[in-house]
Amino acid sequence: MSDTDRPDKKPDQAAALREALNRGAYQHAQRLLQTLHPAEIAALLESTPSPEREFIWTLVPAEENGEVLLHVNDDVRNALIRHMDPAELVAATEHLDLDDLADLIDDLPRAVTRQLLQAMDQQERWRLETVLSYPAESAGGLMNPEVTTVRPNVTLDVVIRYLRLKAELPDQTEQLVIVDRYGHYVGTLPLQTLLISDPDKTVAEVMDTEVEPIPVDLPARKVAQRFADRDLLSAPVVSVDGLVIGRITIDDVVDVIRDESEHSMMSQVGLNEEEDMFAPALQSFRRRTLWLGINLVTAFIASAVVGLFEATLQQVVALAVLMPIVASMGGIAGSQTQTLIIRGLAQGRLTASNAQRFINKEIILGLLNGLAWALVTALLAFVWFGRSDLALVMGLAMVVNLLLAAASGIGVPLMMRRLSIDPALAGHVVLTTVTDVAGFFAFLGLGSLLLR
Amino acid sequence: MSDTDRPDKKPDQAAALREALNRGAYQHAQRLLQTLHPAEIAALLESTPSPEREFIWTLVPAEENGEVLLHVNDDVRNALIRHMDPAELVAATEHLDLDDLADLIDDLPRAVTRQLLQAMDQQERWRLETVLSYPAESAGGLMNPEVTTVRPNVTLDVVIRYLRLKAELPDQTEQLVIVDRYGHYVGTLPLQTLLISDPDKTVAEVMDTEVEPIPVDLPARKVAQRFADRDLLSAPVVSVDGLVIGRITIDDVVDVIRDESEHSMMSQVGLNEEEDMFAPALQSFRRRTLWLGINLVTAFIASAVVGLFEATLQQVVALAVLMPIVASMGGIAGSQTQTLIIRGLAQGRLTASNAQRFINKEIILGLLNGLAWALVTALLAFVWFGRSDLALVMGLAMVVNLLLAAASGIGVPLMMRRLSIDPALAGHVVLTTVTDVAGFFAFLGLGSLLLR
């Protein structure tokens, strides 16, 4: 999708806000902040350097504080929390949904947590502990334990009267969950169905039993996949015994999908998506050092291979001129294969039963690529340096290298997966090291054999 | 997120299906297919090579055909459509929602489209044409023109009786849209509110006027941002005159978010996300040639820079050994800065008012990086080759190169954006060309000045 944006009014509001702050119109700024949603205020805070950021934070309406803290990245959240006293923090967070509070609670000072827990009744505390007992990246960590349940044997009319009596439903409730007398999952009753059906019918007559409940230990990524595949708005979560213990709503799933995509974009270059854009340079320096250090090691490995052929390079300096081309083409072709494998694995499209077909195809493709680009690069090398032996070395190296690139594009991600390392994270570094080493070795090795 | 998956039952179903096909148990296979949702069948088809794919397609229940066609990628869809006769295609697609049909219609043979249009009544045809008249990547392209609207002055009781009379609501309806007598947007009425409120109240008394309607020309990416920021399940779409002309539901938005993330992952290595994993090698070869060709041109540019210093390389062959290190470190550091800029621009976090602060920080960081890695690499070069002049060249080149890398990491995406090229697509190739050229030039240039 193109990033050439059409004008939208939100950036204008942010600009208007900054302009109001600059000319000291704080009341006007406060009114502008009131028109923004918490996620939009969070974006504004993330895109404002300190100390303006802390100042804007004091202008944010107190009732929005909790929601805004939920939406900012970890670095910014910690900085904002440091500027709040315990009473403010308790006030900001005590009205959050339990699943949201669970996401935040690790970042709160211990005194605040203790106070929050004391203010809760027995049932709420128990529910919070339930959510906290599951890994954040699982259905249990995503779910909200507040579910409106009804029994299958009552009439719709009774359900409607029950809801009017309750006078409030959890946010984003678009279906009720049907449970038996022991709390086991039976089905769901969409509010739509409740509204349009004959009120004298029973829940059992109109309920939907198609929705499969989500096991509490399903990984978040698979929860997201299921929501997307089946166009779900919400789904009940059940324990191993089939008891309904919570529900997951699509808004949390959307966050999972967005976070995952941001995480993979950032981690490819060794960055953390929770980092503050305006962190002090020294702090960013420390964080990015590891990645540059790893890269230096891999670059030295490639250099060491070149070093093996110092004598040959001395004799035929054209090899030094052409060697970046061989390595670079291998890196690109290998990344294409690797990206397809990583996607196939992540989406479950690549399985034991079809992998061989895919691998065969990519190897044949590597050979085709090798032959085609061998011709092109050999010709260019001949035109440039006027040496047919150099052109031959170039062509042969290209065939070898592009075949090896296809093989590494397949082998590297599969090996990393076997080692339980995320291939999307470290795959690129490992792959280019392999293709660099192989490319330099093939090209300079052939050069040392065939040229003088 | 780690890709080391826990066991899930879906892959087993796919495996069970393949196993059933292998032993010729077609009825069993057909029953298994009936338990899968259309998106899951689509995934299965995408992960099965031809001709098994076409055979499975014949076993898919006819009533699922339309939905499955919606979910497979373009290549696979075209292949499946080629195997269907017009009558089958009409049957498969005539019951799709209008917004889904609009996504599919370009891929259908003309005879099928004509037949579909003839089978529609005047109003449906007009609605379809409305959706088709907007770009697919805009709110208009995403919306479904079927909206259930009510007037503000009626009582909830009347609304409930009206809905029971209709006896059916469009899929994923969780709120009604309130319009005035001319069809202008007034507010929304969540089904929740309708259910729990006193039935004698009027719509106007309980409706929600907080939901901002979505302008029909808002780009899809911004629609997705708004849904995510405000936790929306659906939102009304209005024309420039404020008339309600459709609604967008979260399931379409989830598809936008997922497609965008897949698109950016694939396009970084010059691949198209609509490509069939099992396309013939020759077809993939043709598609990937362009990207490898572009890369060859950029690699030759970098080589040409190296070629300028042939005489120096002849004298000091250690330069050839070390030069990949300088270029590689520049590429990595530059990508980190570039990735932050691309994300900042895409999320609207980087604006005219804060860009300078961010740029200053990254330049300071480039200097810090340059100084630190200059020390490390100079030391390593000294230990390796025992030449202090070579170590000095290495260190100086590293400072220059990492400063230039920061500058290009900022400049390249900003320049591409100005040229209306998506920096996420071509940014990496352009950036590494710049850092390679700069790295080789700095290192070899300093070498030719200071070494002999």
Side-chain angles (χ1 to χ4, degrees):
Chain A
M1 204 166 298
S2 162
D3 265 281
T4 49
D5 299 345
R6 306 205 213 160
D8 186 20
K9 71 180 202 295
K10 288 300 156 198
D12 292 353
Q13 271 178 318
L17 187 70
R18 287 216 177 78
E19 190 266 331
L21 290 174
N22 285 341
R23 63 183 166 86
Y26 301 135
Q27 289 205 324
H28 181 59
Q30 213 157 8
R31 269 199 307 280
L32 283 173
L33 275 172
Q34 274 162 3
T35 66
L36 295 178
H37 289 253
E40 291 161 354
I41 298 177
L44 181 75
L45 289 169
E46 284 185 2
S47 56
T48 309
S50 296
E52 294 93 298
R53 179 190 287 160
E54 282 71 22
F55 182 69
I56 294 179
W57 182 232
T58 63
L59 298 180
V60 172
E63 68 274 16
E64 308 265 32
N65 281 350
E67 287 282 334
V68 174
L69 284 177
L70 263 182
H71 281 98
V72 290
N73 62 41
D74 290 357
D75 272 12
V76 172
R77 181 188 302 149
N78 289 328
L80 296 178
I81 285 179
R82 268 200 304 279
H83 284 83
M84 296 172 77
D85 59 42
E88 282 175 319
L89 276 169
V90 170
T93 52
E94 66 186 349
H95 297 299
L96 288 177
D97 284 348
L98 279 180
D99 54 337
D100 293 337
L101 182 58
D103 290 342
L104 212 56
I105 209 157
D106 282 339
D107 294 332
L108 297 175
R110 193 178 291 264
V112 173
T113 319
R114 205 178 312 119
Q115 231 173 309
L116 280 173
L117 287 173
Q118 276 164 5
M120 285 180 177
D121 64 30
Q122 186 67 37
Q123 197 196 14
E124 271 183 317
R125 207 175 311 142
W126 181 81
R127 281 176 167 173
L128 180 63
E129 278 159 16
T130 310
V131 177
L132 288 174
S133 70
Y134 297 105
E137 299 292 311
S138 73
L142 287 175
M143 77 180 179
N144 188 327
E146 291 163 83
V147 197
T148 309
T149 56
V150 292
R151 294 284 182 77
N153 53 347
V154 296
T155 63
L156 300 185
D157 188 47
V158 171
V159 174
I160 293 178
R161 276 188 286 128
Y162 165 68
L163 295 182
R164 285 203 185 126
L165 213 67
K166 263 179 85 89
E168 203 182 10
L169 287 174
D171 272 357
Q172 306 224 339
T173 297
E174 37 66 58
Q175 61 181 7
L176 308 176
V177 179
I178 322 298
V179 294
D180 67 14
R181 54 196 297 198
Y182 306 106
H184 292 113
Y185 175 75
V186 175
T188 63
L189 177 62
L191 297 190
Q192 256 198 54
T193 312
L194 179 57
L195 269 167
I196 60 175
S197 306
D198 176 356
D200 293 331
K201 287 196 172 162
T202 65
V203 169
E205 285 176 278
V206 299
M207 69 185 180
D208 184 348
T209 53
E210 292 268 292
V211 177
E212 263 180 84
I214 294 188
V216 69
D217 58 353
L218 197 69
R221 202 166 51 73
K222 300 216 163 173
V223 173
Q225 181 90 42
R226 193 182 291 191
F227 266 72
D229 281 354
R230 305 186 185 179
D231 293 345
L232 303 178
L233 294 178
S234 73
V237 177
V238 292
S239 67
V240 271
D241 322 314
L243 295 173
V244 172
I245 54 175
R247 57 193 273 276
I248 295 177
T249 47
I250 181 83
D251 55 323
D252 295 320
V253 172
V254 167
D255 291 343
V256 169
I257 297 173
R258 283 162 56 101
D259 288 352
E260 196 173 347
S261 131
E262 193 175 350
H263 174 75
S264 84
M265 174 183 174
M266 300 294 276
S267 62
Q268 266 172 26
V269 292
L271 293 172
N272 182 334
E273 71 275 19
E274 294 294 347
E275 192 177 322
D276 177 7
M277 271 178 80
F278 299 100
L282 203 63
Q283 183 181 327
S284 298
F285 171 71
R286 260 182 274 124
R287 290 196 174 163
R288 296 193 204 168
T289 291
L290 177 67
W291 194 250
L292 285 162
I294 291 173
N295 183 64
L296 184 63
V297 173
T298 67
F300 259 98
I301 295 173
S303 276
V305 173
V306 178
L308 295 177
F309 300 97
E310 248 182 282
T312 312
L313 285 168
Q314 188 107 45
Q315 278 183 293
V316 191
V317 80
L319 287 174
V321 176
L322 292 173
M323 72 183 189
I325 297 176
V326 184
S328 151
M329 292 296 275
I332 296 283
S335 323
Q336 291 190 325
T337 303
Q338 174 165 267
T339 301
L340 282 172
I341 295 238
I342 290 175
R343 182 183 70 152
L345 292 174
Q347 295 182 342
R349 299 275 203 279
L350 204 67
T351 58
S353 60
N354 67 15
Q356 196 55 52
R357 281 287 289 265
F358 178 75
I359 291 173
N360 294 348
K361 175 215 155 163
E362 289 293 318
I363 296 286
I364 294 173
L365 183 58
L367 191 63
L368 285 175
N369 270 334
L371 293 172
W373 296 107
L375 279 177
V376 175
T377 53
L379 192 70
L380 286 168
F382 181 74
V383 170
W384 193 348
F385 292 97
R387 289 182 61 167
S388 57
D389 55 351
L390 188 63
L392 178 70
V393 167
M394 184 78 180
L396 286 177
M398 204 58 112
V399 175
V400 173
N401 190 36
L402 288 182
L403 256 179
L404 279 175
S408 349
I410 295 160
V412 168
L414 291 181
M415 191 196 64
M416 304 201 86
R417 192 176 154 91
R418 183 148 303 178
L419 299 173
S420 295
I421 303 169
D422 182 358
L425 167 60
H428 187 71
V429 178
V430 177
L431 180 78
T432 50
T433 307
V434 173
T435 52
D436 279 358
V437 166
F440 289 144
F441 196 86
F443 183 56
L444 299 177
L446 285 165
S448 74
L449 290 176
L450 303 177
L451 303 181
R452 57 206 68 252
Chain B
M1 204 167 297
S2 159
D3 266 282
T4 50
D5 296 348
R6 307 206 212 158
D8 186 21
K9 72 178 202 293
K10 288 301 159 199
D12 291 354
Q13 272 179 319
L17 186 71
R18 286 215 179 80
E19 191 266 331
L21 290 175
N22 285 342
R23 63 184 165 85
Y26 301 135
Q27 288 203 329
H28 181 58
Q30 211 157 10
R31 269 199 307 280
L32 283 172
L33 275 172
Q34 273 161 3
T35 67
L36 295 178
H37 289 251
E40 292 160 355
I41 298 177
L44 181 75
L45 290 169
E46 284 186 1
S47 55
T48 309
S50 297
E52 294 94 298
R53 180 189 287 160
E54 282 71 22
F55 182 69
I56 295 179
W57 182 231
T58 63
L59 299 179
V60 172
E63 67 274 18
E64 308 266 31
N65 281 351
E67 287 283 334
V68 174
L69 284 178
L70 262 181
H71 282 98
V72 290
N73 62 41
D74 289 358
D75 271 14
V76 173
R77 181 188 302 149
N78 289 329
L80 297 178
I81 286 178
R82 267 200 305 279
H83 285 82
M84 297 171 77
D85 60 43
E88 282 176 319
L89 276 169
V90 170
T93 50
E94 67 186 348
H95 296 299
L96 288 177
D97 284 347
L98 280 179
D99 53 338
D100 294 336
L101 182 58
D103 291 340
L104 212 58
I105 210 154
D106 282 340
D107 294 331
L108 297 175
R110 192 178 292 264
V112 174
T113 318
R114 205 179 312 120
Q115 230 172 311
L116 280 173
L117 288 172
Q118 275 164 5
M120 285 180 176
D121 64 29
Q122 184 68 37
Q123 199 196 13
E124 272 184 316
R125 206 176 311 144
W126 181 80
R127 282 177 166 172
L128 180 64
E129 277 160 16
T130 310
V131 177
L132 288 174
S133 69
Y134 297 105
E137 299 292 310
S138 73
L142 288 174
M143 77 182 181
N144 188 326
E146 290 163 83
V147 197
T148 310
T149 56
V150 291
R151 295 284 182 77
N153 53 345
V154 296
T155 64
L156 300 186
D157 188 48
V158 171
V159 175
I160 293 178
R161 277 188 286 128
Y162 165 68
L163 295 181
R164 285 201 184 126
L165 212 68
K166 264 180 85 89
E168 204 182 9
L169 287 175
D171 272 357
Q172 306 224 340
T173 297
E174 36 65 58
Q175 63 180 6
L176 307 176
V177 178
I178 323 296
V179 294
D180 67 14
R181 55 197 296 198
Y182 306 107
H184 292 113
Y185 175 74
V186 175
T188 64
L189 176 63
L191 297 190
Q192 256 197 56
T193 311
L194 179 57
L195 269 167
I196 62 175
S197 306
D198 176 357
D200 293 330
K201 287 195 172 162
T202 64
V203 168
E205 285 176 278
V206 299
M207 70 185 179
D208 184 349
T209 53
E210 291 270 290
V211 176
E212 263 179 83
I214 294 188
V216 70
D217 58 353
L218 197 69
R221 204 166 51 72
K222 300 216 162 173
V223 173
Q225 181 90 42
R226 193 184 289 191
F227 266 72
D229 281 353
R230 306 189 184 176
D231 293 345
L232 302 178
L233 294 178
S234 74
V237 176
V238 292
S239 67
V240 271
D241 322 313
L243 295 172
V244 172
I245 54 174
R247 57 193 273 275
I248 295 177
T249 48
I250 181 83
D251 56 322
D252 295 320
V253 172
V254 167
D255 291 344
V256 168
I257 296 173
R258 283 162 56 101
D259 288 353
E260 196 173 347
S261 131
E262 193 176 351
H263 174 75
S264 84
M265 172 183 175
M266 300 295 275
S267 62
Q268 268 172 27
V269 292
L271 294 172
N272 182 334
E273 70 274 19
E274 295 293 348
E275 191 176 325
D276 177 6
M277 271 179 80
F278 298 100
L282 203 64
Q283 183 181 327
S284 299
F285 170 71
R286 260 182 274 120
R287 288 198 176 162
R288 297 194 204 166
T289 291
L290 176 66
W291 194 250
L292 285 162
I294 291 173
N295 182 65
L296 184 64
V297 173
T298 68
F300 259 98
I301 295 173
S303 276
V305 173
V306 179
L308 295 177
F309 299 98
E310 249 183 281
T312 311
L313 285 168
Q314 186 108 46
Q315 277 183 292
V316 193
V317 80
L319 287 174
V321 177
L322 292 173
M323 72 184 190
I325 297 175
V326 184
S328 152
M329 292 296 275
I332 296 284
S335 318
Q336 292 190 325
T337 302
Q338 174 165 268
T339 300
L340 283 172
I341 296 238
I342 290 175
R343 182 183 70 152
L345 291 174
Q347 296 182 341
R349 298 276 203 280
L350 203 68
T351 57
S353 60
N354 67 15
Q356 197 55 51
R357 281 285 290 265
F358 178 75
I359 291 173
N360 294 348
K361 176 214 153 162
E362 290 292 319
I363 295 286
I364 294 173
L365 183 58
L367 192 62
L368 284 175
N369 270 335
L371 293 171
W373 297 108
L375 278 177
V376 176
T377 53
L379 191 70
L380 286 169
F382 181 74
V383 170
W384 193 348
F385 293 98
R387 289 182 61 166
S388 57
D389 54 351
L390 187 63
L392 178 69
V393 167
M394 185 79 180
L396 286 177
M398 205 57 109
V399 175
V400 172
N401 190 35
L402 289 182
L403 256 180
L404 278 175
S408 346
I410 297 161
V412 167
L414 292 180
M415 191 196 64
M416 303 201 87
R417 192 178 155 91
R418 183 148 303 177
L419 299 173
S420 295
I421 304 169
D422 182 357
L425 168 59
H428 187 71
V429 178
V430 177
L431 180 77
T432 49
T433 308
V434 172
T435 52
D436 279 358
V437 166
F440 289 145
F441 196 85
F443 183 56
L444 299 177
L446 284 165
S448 75
L449 290 176
L450 302 177
L451 303 180
R452 57 206 67 253

